[in-house]
Amino acid sequence: MKTPMKKSSTYQSVPVCRYLGEGGFFILRVVISVFTILFGAFLALAGSGVLSAPAASSAKGQQKYSPAINSNVFGALPPGFDCSTIHEKGIDKQDNMRAGAIMIACGLSEGGSLSKGSQFSGNGFSQWVKNLLPTPLFIGGTDVDVVLPDSAYPKVTQSESMEWGGPNNTWVVNYNDSRTSGGCYAGLSYSTDNGATWQASQPLCSGHGTNYGDPIVVYNARLGIWFAGDLATGCGGQGIGMWTSTDGVTWATGGCAHNGGSDDRESMWVDNNPASPFYGRMYISYNDFNIGGGALYVTYSDNGTTWTQAQLNPGFIRDIQVTGDLQGSGYVYVATMNEGGGGLSTRQNVMYRSTNGGVSWTSVNAGPSFQGPGRSTSGYFALAFSSIWRHMGWGEPAASGNVVSLDYAACGQNVVCSGASDHGDVYYIRSTDAGLTWGTPVKLNTDSGTAMQWQPSLAVTQDGKIFASWYDEREVNSGADRDCAVGSSTQNCYRRWGRVSLDNGVTWQTDDMVGHALSPLPAQPDGAVQATYEGDYDYHSSFGLTMIGGWTDGRTIISGSSQQDVFVNLVQPGPSPTASPTPTATATASPSPTATSTPTPCVAGYTFTQIGGGIVPGTTDIGNHCDDCVTTTALPFPYTVYDQTYNTINLSSNGNAQLTTTDAAYSNLCLPWTTHNYTVYPYWDDLYTVNAGYGIFTSTSGTAPNRIFNIEWRAQYYPGSGTANFELRLYEGQTRFDVIYGQVDNGNTSATAGVQRDDITQYFCNGSGGGAIGAQAYTIVPCVTPSPSPSATATATATATATATATATATATATPTPCTLGAPSAQAATNITFSSFTTHWSSVSGATGYRLDVSTTNHFTTYVPGYQDLDVGNVTSYPVTGLNANTTYYYRVRAYNGCATSRNSNVKNVKTLACKPAAPSAQTATNITSSSFTAHWNSVSGAIDYRLDVSTTNTFATYVTGYQDLSVGNVTSYPVTGLSAHTTYYYRVRAYNGCATSNNSSVKSVTTSP
């Protein structure tokens, strides 16, 4: 008999009648609801008690234990393991697959069992009612099951996921997967078409021994490498093993982020903002149950090979998730939870923060304590349902700028939740001062019944759009709570719901559906996995303007049973999905004050961010068909680069766009390109647009005032081979531009990408820097943004159309000065010598000091010794010494005060002088007497001494005594004495700068008087 395999469920849209407005839609729902109630009452009277037998049968089935399982099935028990030490070792508090296998093998926990499924038949009437309703509206795009095809039942448990996006429309989901349980619990799916289709595999099952899951995955933009990880026996017994990939598709075994014997619930984040002082640094948080009963740690790395540990707490506090600021401050946060000893006790969220790249950490309570959600317990853990789904209220943090967000679940009433009628609600809380203080929690689910909401997740974009989502029962039991039947194929239990904020959590759009179908409560039928397991977290994330969310869904039925799959969807926040949005004001302890002053804007440099998207084909051929030529093209709208606005652009066949010059140079340089300010370099290389089908093509997307001008190069490499296809996109009304790479055969090996004015932003040059793949958005970084002074009577203000909650118009109490600083503006260097220069920058209001970085690369992948994060004090210039001659250096600076460090400034470059100074020019002698004269010469930059020769021959065959290579000091004249009368003398001079001596100057002659 062939075991049924998974099939993708389909969602059938019902056309919306165009004449039904929002009012008509509401009236239709009311009529149908009334009719449904009446018809339901009739059925209840007609068939009272008929449905109770199957329900009792299902409940009885849930009480059965699975057969005893030999520990050898799992390989989880070390030889001679003493099961009585489980509590002592904290194994009962761990939520990973290996801990679960040990619990099962020791007989202290059930393994999954085959579900008989519910005997309820489908309700034709409810389906008829559903078909009457207009098509529902959803947050995000179509949801997709990413685990297909699956293994044979019962090895079908896939849940607990982390999702991440990268270049080339690639998204990766790492999740727990039981299809090879006992030997590997890891699954990984990828999409290379922006989430439209997915490929499932198990590439992380080799290289680090047995993989026990607990998934993490990120894309490191600085390194151009994907990193995925799980708990693995090959890293100390139960440490954190890593795998790497250049494309998210093919994976290789990496190193161990931590070698440990009892690690648990790791989480990962990478700082992908080039403006950050810790750009490219990766962070993994975890509990180590070999230390302090579950000590909290973070390990961090800049290259994925060498990892450094930092202890955050010497005892047990649950690691929830790690995240960091997307806007480039370099701040990192770890959300944790004090679980009050487990069960259904009181909880406390605690947020840890690092401002120095993970080296040291501080913590603060994030909001008030609360009653844990759930309805029962299993050992240490609370359960959302009577016999399944362990959940302690865990949520997810996210950060954009100084706003740090956190969502979590709490009991629906302030009682021990086993005695509550509402077993869970989802709350949101935020900090507006980079995690130092926290506002008042706001409930995100707005249903009025007692249905349970639990296990939320959260993601934010760099510009402050937030997507929160959670599991929600509100639709399945007329808004009332339901303790769902496990594994039923017909009894719906929940749907993924969510909510969006467009202003970093100040207000929220209406909560709405995320999943496109209701889900039964999936069973966990695999005997090698704990029976209560449904996945402990779903880590959402963002890439550019798109966020991705994953969750456990049971709508796919196998062998007559609902079971666990990972579903995802992509969300690009915009207007509310409902016809009449009513944003809800988010209550905070300190509403934002009204500014009393408007700072004068200034422009520093550009920064770049990895984004999604592909080339928009050009449709207009501008006539650029040549080897080394420039074509001037009119812009469809005025466009500003840095601080200047232009109406035309000069497009080179060699892959650059000049605003003030028309240079067809084919030999690229690492920036700066002297005298070529206001130039954008999508891909400057020796290109060729002569052959048929090649050239530069343009198109315009959108409508005014939000148009985008697309400039597509379809080129070859000189003299007509290979392909270089890329695009520059200019945004109307903005200084932003994007660069999108298609097929670029030579990559970044001999090309330059970036933008320059009197400063530069270089993305890559001749093989160093980022890759010529994916897409990058270049945006201006403001140089200084002074903090506005709060008005004495400042009040919180909702948007014009918002219906405020009870606290939305409250008068602000004393509001602390925001703990934030603007970035300084780096300025041109002075006092340049062969071994030193002096840096300069603008002052920042509120700064108490500055930190300086100096590097020989504009990406700051390495630093000049002694000049990494150097505290130079409260000054606006600083000498940099001990440098190499004739070398280009780059510097940037950050402001700091007692509680914050700013973003990086723009980057300035400076080239030290050559070791050998220029030769001085000898000038006419003065003060001539019969026995003396004064020699003169011009000064030479960088010279610290001059060497003088005096002779009676112009070939300097002999020297006047005392005047051969005479060191005269750092002067430009010198008296020559003790001479003979009426005699012709010759002199010359050389400059010395501490490194080398120049060539001789010209020779001057002088005749003493008689």
Side-chain angles (χ1 to χ4, degrees), residues 128-155:
W128 174 77
V129 170
K130 185 185 295 184
N131 290 340
L132 286 178
L133 297 176
T135 303
L137 298 163
F138 298 93
I139 296 174
T142 301
D143 54 2
V144 182
D145 189 335
V146 303
V147 307
L148 302 178
D150 207 336
S151 183
Y153 194 84
K155 300 285 188 180

Side-chain angles (χ1 to χ4, degrees), residues 281-530:
R281 180 162 293 182
M282 296 174 285
Y283 304 85
I284 298 176
S285 59
Y286 61 96
N287 289 115
D288 186 343
F289 281 89
N290 273 345
I291 299 175
L296 180 67
Y297 282 89
V298 164
T299 184
Y300 57 88
S301 175
D302 292 325
N303 57 18
T305 302
T306 302
W307 294 83
T308 302
Q309 283 183 269
Q311 187 184 82
L312 283 62
N313 194 309
F316 174 64
I317 186 169
R318 178 76 65 188
D319 177 39
I320 305 301
Q321 303 288 0
V322 63
T323 191
D325 175 24
L326 300 183
Q327 291 190 11
S329 69
Y331 288 10
V332 190
Y333 305 90
V334 177
T336 67
M337 182 178 288
N338 182 336
E339 296 173 341
L344 292 169
S345 57
T346 302
R347 314 275 193 255
Q348 175 66 62
N349 287 311
V350 179
M351 189 68 71
Y352 286 80
R353 181 182 84 155
S354 174
T355 62
N356 57 6
V359 176
S360 61
W361 297 79
T362 57
S363 66
V364 65
N365 286 348
S369 60
F370 58 95
Q371 288 291 149
R375 73 181 73 234
S376 63
T377 61
S378 175
Y380 176 88
F381 293 100
L383 298 181
F385 297 92
S386 291
S387 61
I388 201 167
W389 209 312
R390 64 190 182 201
H391 177 57
M392 307 294 279
W394 309 310
E396 183 178 349
S400 182
N402 284 322
V403 177
V404 187
S405 297
L406 174 68
D407 62 3
Y408 62 95
C411 187
Q413 284 108 21
N414 191 24
V415 297
V416 176
C417 216
S418 56
S421 58
D422 185 339
H423 295 284
D425 287 318
V426 170
Y427 286 86
Y428 168 80
I429 190 169
R430 74 175 194 147
S431 168
T432 58
D433 56 8
L436 294 179
T437 61
W438 291 80
T440 302
V442 173
K443 191 170 77 168
L444 290 183
N445 56 287
T446 61
D447 61 308
S448 58
T450 58
M452 180 172 59
Q453 287 81 26
W454 73 102
Q455 198 164 312
S457 301
L458 190 79
V460 68
T461 59
Q462 190 179 59
D463 62 353
K465 294 181 175 64
I466 300 175
F467 168 53
S469 74
W470 59 86
Y471 299 96
D472 198 313
E473 278 192 323
R474 74 179 72 182
E475 299 174 76
V476 299
N477 193 26
S478 301
D481 177 63
R482 170 179 280 176
D483 188 11
C484 301
V486 180
S488 169
S489 62
T490 57
Q491 184 196 70
N492 284 324
C493 183
Y494 65 86
R495 185 198 300 269
R496 193 73 176 182
W497 275 66
R499 206 163 178 188
V500 168
S501 172
L502 303 179
D503 51 16
N504 226 346
V506 177
T507 61
W508 289 83
Q509 304 294 331
T510 304
D511 46 338
D512 217 323
M513 297 174 286
V514 176
H516 281 233
L518 287 165
S519 170
L521 178 59
Q524 197 300 98
D526 191 332
V529 179
Q530 276 190 314

Side-chain angles (χ1 to χ4, degrees), residues 25-115:
F25 178 65
F26 172 76
I27 292 170
L28 177 60
R29 285 189 179 274
V30 170
V31 171
I32 293 171
S33 297
V34 171
F35 183 61
T36 303
I37 293 169
L38 293 175
F39 190 75
F42 169 77
L43 290 178
L45 292 172
S48 177
V50 172
L51 300 179
S52 60
S57 173
S58 177
K60 184 181 293 185
Q62 293 170 17
Q63 296 171 8
K64 294 182 179 179
Y65 282 74
S66 59
I69 298 174
N70 190 305
S71 63
N72 291 333
V73 173
F74 311 106
L77 294 183
F81 181 82
D82 184 356
C83 289
S84 68
T85 65
I86 279 180
H87 182 72
E88 173 190 338
K89 296 178 183 296
I91 293 171
D92 56 338
K93 291 192 291 187
Q94 298 181 34
D95 60 18
N96 61 76
M97 290 291 189
R98 183 170 184 250
I102 291 173
M103 295 286 286
I104 297 169
C106 286
L108 297 178
S109 178
E110 299 177 53
S113 59
L114 305 187
S115 172

Side-chain angles (χ1 to χ4, degrees), residues 699-846:
S699 65
T700 302
S701 305
T703 58
N706 298 302
R707 290 171 290 179
I708 303 173
F709 188 48
N710 311 298
I711 306 169
E712 181 191 7
W713 275 261
R714 301 173 196 165
Q716 296 176 288
Y717 297 91
Y718 178 82
S721 61
T723 297
N725 181 214
F726 53 93
E727 185 169 78
L728 171 65
R729 310 185 74 198
L730 310 180
Y731 286 75
E732 184 175 13
Q734 303 180 44
T735 53
R736 168 184 170 178
F737 64 86
D738 298 345
V739 177
I740 298 94
Y741 296 100
Q743 181 180 343
V744 182
D745 291 347
N746 290 358
N748 68 0
T749 55
S750 60
T752 301
V755 59
Q756 79 171 61
R757 186 184 57 177
D758 53 354
D759 59 21
I760 65 170
T761 299
Q762 184 168 278
Y763 177 53
F764 60 70
C765 181
N766 294 341
S768 65
I773 58 175
Q776 296 79 43
Y778 289 71
T779 53
I780 286 287
V781 178
C783 51
V784 181
T785 306
S787 301
S789 302
S791 167
T793 59
T795 58
T797 305
T799 55
T801 59
T803 301
T805 60
T807 59
T809 58
T811 301
T813 56
T815 304
T817 302
C819 183
T820 182
L821 287 170
S825 176
Q827 299 171 357
T830 61
N831 303 326
I832 303 168
T833 72
F834 73 93
S835 63
S836 66
F837 58 84
T838 300
T839 60
H840 297 269
W841 56 87
S842 64
S843 63
V844 173
S845 176

